[in-house]
Amino acid sequence: MTNVSELPSPLTLLPQAQAGDEHAMNHLLTAITPYVARICRSITHDDGADATQEALLAVYRGLGSLREPAAFYGWVRSVTVREAIRTARRYGAESCCSEVDSQEETNPLDAVHISDVLERLSQAHRQVLTLRAYGLNEEEMAEVLALPVGTVRSRLFRARRRFQEAWQPSAA
């Protein structure tokens, strides 16, 4: 059995996987699974495993369309977010997008407070804030959420305001 840490990097495997090498494809998918799962869990919570499976399948199917290897991780992120939101909608996840996964937090209690504040927001507001936290711009969010860009901008503005209002009492 091969240890994941012994696998070549995904960018090394990419050309081989795109050329139809099943072994390279399996290693590539294995290498990106933790990244994909982390994104899916933060968006879907309880349905993270299903979303991860759907995202990996979408990566597998669409890998041939990727023309720029340097864009691999951005493309995987985009595919993963789209599939996670589809899964959340399909299962009607009320807790969709309620956790922001940030590696820059200095105080672990801040993550607890942020999650608590996000839980009090509407699903639509949690979605746009989480997508923004993953680095998507308004146009990308509009595409993923199948909404007009103006609606996304308005929703993002209101979500930020609601978050700030909800955060203020807990900061005191």
Side-chain angles (χ1 to χ4, degrees):
M1 186 170 177
T2 306
N3 187 344
V4 173
S5 63
E6 297 172 5
L7 295 174
S9 79
L11 294 179
T12 303
L13 295 167
L14 185 57
Q16 299 163 350
Q18 285 182 311
D21 183 338
E22 290 182 31
H23 211 65
M25 179 65 81
N26 286 337
H27 288 315
L28 177 71
L29 293 174
T30 299
I32 66 169
T33 296
Y35 175 67
V36 169
R38 188 174 68 246
I39 294 170
C40 288
R41 269 193 317 274
S42 70
I43 294 174
T44 63
H45 283 281
D46 294 336
D47 301 316
D50 290 338
T52 299
Q53 184 176 9
E54 293 295 329
L56 289 171
L57 185 59
V59 167
Y60 173 79
R61 288 180 177 154
L63 196 59
S65 68
L66 180 65
R67 298 290 173 232
E68 183 56 48
F72 177 69
Y73 281 103
W75 177 77
V76 168
R77 183 192 69 204
S78 177
V79 168
T80 300
V81 167
R82 184 175 49 249
E83 291 303 321
I85 289 175
R86 283 183 186 159
T87 300
R89 284 184 180 153
R90 186 170 47 248
Y91 291 114
E94 287 301 311
S95 61
C96 180
C97 301
S98 63
E99 179 183 319
V100 175
D101 184 11
S102 174
Q103 298 173 355
E104 298 177 20
E105 296 162 5
T106 55
N107 183 350
L109 289 177
D110 285 345
V112 172
H113 296 303
I114 290 169
S115 292
D116 179 55
V117 171
L118 284 171
E119 288 292 331
R120 291 185 265 154
L121 298 178
S122 70
Q123 178 178 351
H125 288 165
R126 286 191 305 262
Q127 282 180 331
V128 295
L129 289 176
T130 301
L131 293 175
R132 175 61 92 192
Y134 276 110
L136 273 67
N137 63 34
E138 286 95 357
E139 291 78 18
E140 292 168 327
M141 286 190 277
E143 182 181 333
V144 167
L145 296 171
L147 294 170
V149 174
T151 301
V152 169
R153 287 182 179 142
S154 170
R155 196 173 283 180
L156 187 59
F157 175 80
R158 286 187 182 95
R160 286 177 173 152
R161 188 166 5 131
R162 298 283 186 281
F163 183 90
Q164 289 172 342
E165 290 167 359
W167 181 260
Q168 292 306 321
S170 65

